[in-house]
């Protein structure tokens, strides 16, 4: 797959099926007394896409990042949503309760609505904050918050080194640590590489690893954390059928072959749709985290040699493994732990 076909994530991605609200506690969000699952009806946003060229990729469980150039310098940006103030959050919860009842009652009567004032209803954000590029704007050019009141956006990680400490571990001067499909082999294997910011400008990623989202891939350890970036749309998946049918997809998700969080469909017209386990009322992470599809892919270490005054520890550890092939990503992760213990013995 050519890199130009990868779609940066700069707005909300709709579920490929129409969603429905069930009045039972969410298995995804603690404290939420309802859950949103997929119906078997194709999303209204996806009507007519059947004949458009597409590719399907693994939905990676991490935290979203963005490579962006500001004032002539490249930065790694972290996802930072602008959120409503506490009083407005309370009003939003009341609105959602009314809207959920309206949906459960068969959408009878007038649909409940909620209007937000961009200037007064949202919390302040860091000065460097920028809204996501594809967010719709109003007549005054203000970004329009989504249905949950959040405005997706980005903030450079340099603005708070403590909060974004794990982001900083995948940055070494002007280079980023990336896991991607092996460039010199079949697409079922991976390689871990360090790439320049200029190669990745305007692209979006998931930061994955030990300290992200309760480590769903079972990578690294407290003593030797392991983090890396995965570009959106870069880990392709071959589904047994090209048809988008609920029963077929749920059957695949519950099969022994499927150990992924979800899927993302990328269409040649720029549209993207997703489907993850929680949409189908299935659990994630899996009980055996290290047995996930991503963790079980074979991988080769291909790091560049650089003369750097203050090298990153993780980058250096990987350079010491340069050229080595591992049966699985999880095995590479374990090798980094073994290397740390060997160094401690020598000292």
């Amino acid at each position: 797959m050519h890199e130009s076909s990868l779609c940066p994530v700069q707005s909300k991605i709709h579920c490929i099926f129409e969603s429905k609200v069930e009045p039972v506690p969410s298995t995804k969000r603690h404290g939420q007394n309802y859950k949103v699952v997929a119906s078997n009806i194709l999303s209204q946003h996806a009507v007519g896409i059947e004949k458009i060229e597409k590719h399907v990729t693994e939905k990676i469980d991490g935290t979203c990042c963005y490579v962006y150039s500001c004032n002539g310098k490249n930065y790694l940006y972290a996802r930072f949503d602008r959120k409503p103030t506490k009083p407005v959050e309370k009003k939003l919860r009341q609105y959602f309760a009314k809207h959920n009842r309206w949906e459960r009652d068969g959408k009878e009567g007038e649909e409940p609505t909620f209007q937000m004032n961009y200037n007064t209803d949202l919390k302040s954000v860091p000065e460097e904050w920028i809204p996501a590029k594809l967010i719709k704007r109003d007549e005054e050019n203000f970004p329009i918050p989504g249905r949950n009141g959040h405005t997706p956006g980005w903030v450079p990680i340099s603005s708070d080194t403590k909060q974004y400490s794990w982001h900083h571990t995948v940055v070494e001067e002007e280079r980023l640590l990336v896991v991607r499909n092996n460039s010199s082999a079949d697409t079922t294997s991976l390689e871990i590489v360090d790439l320049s910011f200029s190669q990745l400008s305007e692209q979006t990623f998931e930061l994955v690893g030990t300290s992200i989202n309760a480590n769903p891939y079972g990578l690294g350890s407290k003593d030797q954390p392991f983090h890396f970036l995965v570009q959106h749309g870069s880990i392709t998946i071959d589904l047994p059928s090209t048809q988008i049918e609920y029963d077929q997809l749920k059957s695949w998700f519950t099969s022994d072959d499927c150990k992924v969080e979800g899927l993302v469909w990328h269409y040649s017209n720029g549209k993207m749709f997703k489907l993850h386990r929680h949409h189908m009322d299935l659990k994630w992470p899996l009980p055996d985290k290290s047995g996930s599809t991503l963790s079980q892919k074979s991988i080769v270490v291909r790091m560049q040699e650089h003369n750097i005054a203050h090298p990153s520890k993780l980058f250096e550890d990987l350079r010491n493994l340069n050229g080595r092939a591992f049966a699985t990503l999880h095995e590479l992760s374990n090798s980094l732990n073994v290397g740390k213990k060997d160094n401690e013995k020598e000292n």
Side-chain angles (χ1 to χ4, degrees):
M1 180 181 56
H2 196 274
E3 289 186 3
S4 62
S5 65
L6 303 183
C7 301
V9 176
Q10 289 281 359
S11 64
K12 176 181 171 60
I13 301 178
H14 293 285
C15 176
I16 202 157
F17 295 108
E18 287 292 325
S19 60
K20 59 183 180 180
V21 178
E22 295 185 347
V24 293
S26 172
T27 56
K28 183 179 181 182
R29 292 183 172 87
H30 179 71
Q32 183 173 290
N33 60 1
Y34 64 91
K35 63 182 177 182
V36 180
V37 296
S39 69
N40 60 1
I41 302 170
L42 190 69
S43 168
Q44 60 178 338
H45 301 283
V47 172
I49 62 170
E50 295 88 348
K51 296 181 180 180
I52 301 175
E53 184 181 355
K54 65 180 181 296
H55 67 274
V56 186
T57 66
E58 180 176 349
K59 183 184 182 299
I60 302 297
D61 188 0
T63 183
C64 203
C65 303
Y66 175 43
V67 175
Y68 182 64
S69 178
C70 181
N71 297 324
K73 183 173 175 58
N74 291 304
Y75 293 95
L76 182 65
Y77 280 66
R79 174 76 177 266
F80 191 105
D81 286 6
R82 189 171 190 185
K83 299 178 181 179
T85 61
K86 285 193 177 296
V88 176
E89 270 189 345
K90 184 177 180 180
K91 292 178 181 178
L92 267 172
R93 285 195 295 271
Q94 294 170 347
Y95 156 71
F96 284 133
K98 290 179 181 177
H99 199 277
N100 291 339
R101 284 196 297 271
W102 175 78
E103 288 188 333
R104 290 198 299 268
D105 293 342
K107 300 184 178 181
E108 292 182 2
E110 188 175 345
E111 180 179 3
T113 60
F114 185 85
Q115 295 293 326
M116 292 187 66
N117 185 306
Y118 188 85
N119 291 314
T120 61
D121 292 348
L122 299 173
K123 294 178 181 178
S124 61
V125 290
E127 185 180 349
E128 306 93 340
W129 181 83
I130 56 174
K133 281 196 169 182
L134 298 182
I135 297 300
K136 293 181 179 179
R137 294 175 179 261
D138 62 18
E139 313 84 53
E140 299 179 50
N141 204 34
F142 287 124
I144 300 174
R147 184 173 177 267
N148 62 356
H150 294 193
T151 307
W154 311 100
V155 65
I157 63 170
S158 57
S159 64
D160 189 337
T161 55
K162 185 176 181 180
Q163 181 177 354
Y164 301 113
S165 58
W166 303 120
H167 293 71
H168 282 277
T169 65
V170 302
V171 181
E172 185 182 62
E173 292 192 355
E174 289 291 309
R175 303 188 75 80
L176 294 167
L177 188 64
V178 177
V179 165
R180 64 182 184 180
N181 280 342
N182 194 333
S183 58
S184 60
D186 60 89
T187 56
T188 61
S189 64
L190 304 171
E191 61 184 7
I192 187 164
V193 296
D194 57 314
L195 301 174
S196 67
F197 272 95
S198 59
Q199 290 175 270
L200 304 171
S201 182
E202 297 287 338
Q203 299 304 313
T204 57
F205 303 81
E206 291 293 320
L207 174 66
V208 177
T210 311
S211 302
I212 308 298
N213 294 353
N215 196 12
Y217 302 106
L219 300 171
S221 65
K222 183 179 179 180
D223 291 335
Q224 182 71 22
F226 181 31
H227 300 90
F228 51 82
L229 298 170
V230 179
Q231 188 170 354
H232 287 137
S234 64
I235 309 296
T236 55
I237 283 184
D238 290 324
L239 292 175
S241 171
T242 59
Q243 299 297 311
I244 301 172
E245 295 181 357
Y246 181 91
D247 291 338
Q248 283 187 3
L249 286 166
K250 186 159 188 177
S251 176
W252 181 78
F253 266 103
T254 54
S255 70
D256 292 337
D257 295 331
C258 177
K259 295 182 179 180
V260 301
E261 186 206 12
L263 300 171
V264 180
W265 285 261
H266 303 250
Y267 288 86
S268 58
N269 63 358
K271 285 190 174 183
M272 289 185 282
F273 297 92
K274 66 183 178 183
L275 183 68
H276 57 67
R277 287 181 174 270
H278 290 292
H279 283 138
M280 311 194 94
D281 206 19
L282 301 173
K283 288 185 177 180
W284 178 265
L286 301 175
D288 177 16
K289 293 181 178 181
S290 62
S292 65
T293 298
L294 185 69
S295 296
Q296 287 300 304
K297 284 178 176 279
S298 60
I299 189 167
V300 177
V301 181
R302 289 201 175 96
M303 302 291 288
Q304 299 293 318
E305 294 294 336
H306 297 286
N307 294 319
I308 297 173
H310 303 288
S312 156
K313 182 183 183 308
L314 177 56
F315 281 63
E316 279 292 280
D317 289 345
L318 286 165
R319 287 191 191 102
N320 291 333
L321 299 173
N322 207 21
R324 285 187 56 182
F326 294 86
T328 67
L329 174 61
H330 192 254
E331 183 183 306
L332 167 59
S333 174
N334 287 342
S335 294
L336 292 170
N337 274 319
V338 170
K340 174 183 172 63
K341 292 175 182 176
D342 289 344
N343 289 335
E344 288 174 349
K345 289 178 182 178
E346 290 176 6
N347 294 331

